[in-house]
Amino acid sequence: MTQYRVVDAIADWLEQLGVQHYFGFAGGAIWPFMDALIDHPEMEGIQAKHESHAVHMADVYFRNTGRLAPVLVSKGPGLLNAVGAVASAMHDTSAVLVIAGAGSTHVMGKGGMQELYYKGFEDAVSVFRPVTKGSWMVMRPDTVIDVLNYAYKTAVDGRPGPVFVQVPFDVQLGAVELTSDALELPSTRTVSSRLRGDDASIAAVAELVRDAERPVILAGGGTKHSAGAAEALVAVAEQLQVPVATTLTAKGILSEEHPLSMGVVGRSGTDMAAAATRDADVVIAVGARFSDNHTSNWRKGLIYDVSHTKIVHVDVDSQEIGRNFPVAAGIISDAATFFNDLAASTTGAGGRWSPWLEKIETNRRTWLAKIEPVLHSKSDPIHPGRLCYEIGEALGPDGRVVIDVGDVIQYAEPYMTIRRGDAWQINAGMAEMSWATSGILGAVAADPRRAAIALTGDGAFNMASQILATAVEYQLPAIWVILNNHELGIERKGSDTAYHRTHAWTRFVRKDTGEPYNPDYVKLAEANGAPGEHIEHADDFAPALGRALASGQPYVIDVPIDLTIPTFFTEGVDRAYPAVWASSYPQHSSLRVAQS
């Protein structure tokens, strides 16, 4: 039997698991981990400049590969820096394994440097429990592989999500013996089958489809986590000739050039998609949460009207089914499996909805005519809608775009054409600024041959501009397109609409001169060792993007945008939030506040 340290066993476990990359940041509490990984050069370690960036990279890495890339962080502030990013992964269904160090068990509870001892000894597990699928501390050297296998299973089974495992310093260095030829891997503990709706439930959905006059399929972000779902969605939509809308996170799961695609439905989706979901008598929603932005804050009749629309809600997570709307059928099923079952149970039911499809097509022509002037706008500085459109056209068959948070979403959602599901990644749930700015490197590490563009605002980029140093250090050829408007555009426009004035924080202004302020992003790129360009004229953007894509280097494109362009909202929809406690909000509910 071979005797070695716990960290050696963990490093071997990672290698046998097939891990190719890991992310994180050095710290005293993980020195043993770092020492063990020196002996595993086949796994490339990418050190971010901040722990949250490392988690974002691992998050995007999983979205691109379906594989876990561990994140190693130290104790105290090191692991606390990762909390927000872990919450983002949790809210957006992305599997991340965070492994943290801790002080030695000998001194726990003594309040040593960086110990979270305020409510008990080393209590980081309690911090991570609300924002993960599972959170554990390993207290015995001989249980570490068992805990990691269970953590892995938890992260990837069903609805994916992040997990947290903390290993004290002395446990990391504990001597263990290998009792068999190889370490046990999570493949021996994980679920190999897919969730599937029962025959009666599928038959009930088939009956709803046959009786429908205005059916719509809604593909949500969960469909992206189901192998084969994109192909199964195309097959069932074409068989039935039913129009398809997507949520923001699933944009492109059905090519937006497909004749049955209506694009994204939601607060800033296409007019044609919202018109269809409002009028539909049956909506078959698969892997969708019916979130606030998607439903326009659940207000009756803006995106959905459940007084006349029957909703079929399909998800692997039973807790999401019926959370926000009543359902005619709630089915726990894998997305691809459900689409295939629906196709098998509705053979011969297609082609019945010609008047409905004619109406959809009329709305499509109206929508395309509406946005045509935007896509080819000649205004200088560039219209952000044109910029987003040109990014979509530049992606090619294999390119990817990662969308940051802010007004940039409201431009990319309606104006950018996405032709495959994995070409579009977004952090719409927790909506953490700088997620794309830093997470883009996870996409590039996963496959540096595929173009990867981070579309970000100046506010989000300013939060994580040190990502340029990481990109140059590891030669990760990401491209950052920065919408430069010297403000937090969505905050300024929203607060101005609500209160008719704005706080100084919404704009970036030098106190001494009163002039708009941002760093010189080209010089910032060059200072980090990357090329950059500043774009003044709309016609210069596409050529600059072409040069960036051809460069094979980290690249920054600084693009001042037309400040007169308002936030885009779907026709008839606005950003209104419930603000009057004494009045009920116009959403589906059984009760209303009584009015005297």
Side-chain angles (χ1 to χ4, degrees):
M1 291 186 293
T2 304
Q3 186 178 58
Y4 59 160
R5 303 170 300 177
V6 162
V7 288
D8 297 318
I10 294 174
D12 286 351
W13 179 81
L14 293 173
E15 179 190 354
Q16 292 173 32
L17 191 61
V19 168
Q20 298 176 17
H21 295 87
Y22 59 93
F23 303 95
F25 197 87
I30 57 169
W31 284 344
F33 275 110
M34 295 161 59
D35 181 68
L37 286 165
I38 292 173
D39 296 326
H40 291 268
E42 71 282 353
M43 293 185 283
E44 182 180 11
I46 297 176
Q47 180 172 228
K49 303 305 178 188
H50 192 276
E51 289 86 353
S52 68
H53 301 171
V55 176
H56 292 155
M57 292 176 204
D59 173 355
V60 177
Y61 187 97
F62 176 78
R63 297 181 194 220
N64 278 263
T65 65
R67 301 193 307 271
L68 287 183
V71 178
L72 300 177
V73 295
S74 192
K75 61 180 178 175
L79 61 84
L80 290 175
N81 282 342
V83 173
V86 168
S88 288
M90 183 67 182
H91 215 57
D92 277 301
T93 312
S94 189
V96 176
L97 169 61
V98 178
I99 301 176
S104 296
T105 59
H106 307 69
V107 295
M108 283 185 176
K110 293 183 176 294
M113 185 180 70
Q114 299 183 333
E115 182 185 4
L116 304 180
Y117 71 99
Y118 323 114
K119 302 293 183 182
F121 66 84
E122 187 45 75
D123 204 20
V125 165
S126 295
V127 175
F128 279 90
R129 187 172 289 120
V131 296
T132 60
K133 288 185 71 181
S135 184
W136 303 269
M137 177 183 278
V138 180
M139 296 300 287
R140 288 183 58 86
D142 56 346
T143 64
V144 65
I145 299 301
D146 293 337
V147 173
L148 286 171
N149 279 334
Y150 189 76
Y152 182 96
K153 167 190 169 70
T154 302
V156 302
D157 276 356
R159 181 179 178 180
V163 292
F164 174 78
V165 177
Q166 189 171 27
V167 188
F169 192 86
D170 55 331
V171 176
Q172 294 176 40
L173 292 170
V176 289
E177 294 177 341
L178 190 61
T179 59
S180 61
D181 292 337
L183 294 164
E184 185 175 315
L185 294 177
S187 57
T188 64
R189 303 279 181 164
T190 51
V191 176
S192 57
S193 66
R194 298 192 186 207
L195 287 169
R196 187 170 212 154
D198 60 88
D199 291 344
S201 296
I202 298 299
V205 176
E207 190 65 23
L208 285 170
V209 172
R210 290 190 184 95
D211 292 343
E213 295 181 0
R214 300 177 304 280
V216 168
I217 295 174
L218 173 70
T223 58
K224 287 189 170 185
H225 298 289
S226 172
E231 295 80 5
L233 170 60
V234 173
V236 73
E238 291 179 347
Q239 173 185 310
L240 293 174
Q241 285 297 292
V242 171
V244 176
T246 74
T247 64
L248 176 61
T249 51
K251 182 177 169 73
I253 189 76
L254 175 66
S255 170
E256 293 184 312
E257 292 183 324
H258 193 286
L260 290 172
S261 171
M262 298 182 293
V264 175
V265 60
R267 187 177 70 180
S268 299
T270 70
D271 296 347
M272 60 175 167
T277 53
R278 275 195 300 269
D279 293 344
D281 57 355
V282 173
V283 170
I284 302 168
V286 183
R289 295 190 301 111
F290 291 104
S291 67
D292 48 353
N293 289 343
H294 172 69
T295 61
S296 191
N297 294 316
W298 308 282
R299 284 177 290 175
K300 180 179 179 180
L302 291 186
I303 303 295
Y304 297 96
D305 187 344
V306 295
S307 64
H308 71 76
T309 302
K310 295 177 181 178
I311 293 179
V312 174
H313 199 171
V314 182
D315 206 289
V316 295
D317 185 352
S318 64
Q319 295 300 307
E320 293 298 346
I321 295 174
R323 180 189 293 277
N324 293 316
F325 289 135
V327 298
I331 298 175
I332 303 173
S333 179
D334 166 75
T337 302
F338 172 77
F339 287 137
N340 289 329
D341 287 346
L342 180 62
S345 64
T346 53
T347 302
R352 296 180 48 251
W353 299 287
S354 294
W356 178 230
L357 291 176
E358 288 171 5
K359 184 175 182 180
I360 297 292
E361 185 56 33
T362 298
N363 291 341
R364 180 194 311 281
R365 289 194 294 269
T366 301
W367 166 251
L368 293 176
K370 174 181 176 178
I371 66 173
E372 177 66 21
V374 171
L375 306 187
H376 303 288
S377 170
K378 294 298 183 182
S379 66
D380 281 329
I382 194 169
H383 190 299
R386 175 182 171 180
L387 178 146
C388 289
Y389 170 73
E390 291 187 347
I391 288 176
E393 300 310 290
L395 288 177
D398 297 319
R400 299 156 293 174
V401 62
V402 187
I403 309 294
D404 226 314
V405 174
D407 231 12
V408 60
I409 294 176
Q410 270 68 34
Y411 303 132
E413 187 173 351
Y415 297 126
M416 187 182 295
T417 303
I418 299 296
R419 297 164 177 85
R420 51 186 280 183
D422 67 352
W424 168 273
Q425 284 134 29
I426 194 166
N427 170 40
M430 191 57 68
E432 183 184 359
M433 288 179 66
S434 83
W435 172 86
T437 297
S438 53
I440 185 72
L441 294 192
V444 180
D447 189 349
R449 298 165 300 179
R450 293 181 61 191
I453 300 169
L455 178 58
T456 184
D458 46 7
F461 188 81
N462 288 343
M463 283 185 166
S465 59
Q466 65 267 46
I467 199 67
L468 292 170
T470 308
V472 172
E473 182 177 357
Y474 291 95
Q475 281 301 287
L476 297 170
I479 298 167
W480 290 267
V481 175
I482 305 170
L483 277 66
N484 190 341
N485 55 5
H486 300 95
E487 65 178 10
L488 301 173
I490 200 167
E491 308 297 339
R492 192 267 299 172
K493 295 171 188 176
S495 58
D496 186 60
T497 299
Y499 307 111
H500 308 294
R501 59 180 183 170
T502 55
H503 193 281
W505 282 357
T506 64
R507 289 191 169 96
F508 311 146
V509 177
R510 284 188 58 149
K511 183 177 179 179
D512 56 345
T513 65
E515 296 176 345
Y517 170 76
N518 258 326
D520 184 323
Y521 294 119
V522 173
K523 289 183 179 178
L524 183 62
E526 292 171 347
N528 281 280
E533 295 192 44
H534 179 83
I535 305 300
E536 286 291 346
H537 302 295
D539 288 345
D540 295 335
F541 173 66
L545 185 56
R547 289 189 290 273
L549 290 166
S551 72
Q553 301 180 68
Y555 210 101
V556 169
I557 305 178
D558 172 24
V559 192
I561 59 172
D562 188 338
L563 301 181
T564 68
I565 305 301
T567 297
F568 176 85
F569 291 104
T570 303
E571 186 172 343
V573 174
D574 57 26
R575 191 191 278 107
Y577 299 120
V580 181
W581 182 88
S583 298
S584 289
Y585 199 60
Q587 62 188 15
H588 180 86
S589 180
S590 300
L591 300 176
R592 293 287 184 272
V593 174
Q595 301 298 307
S596 58

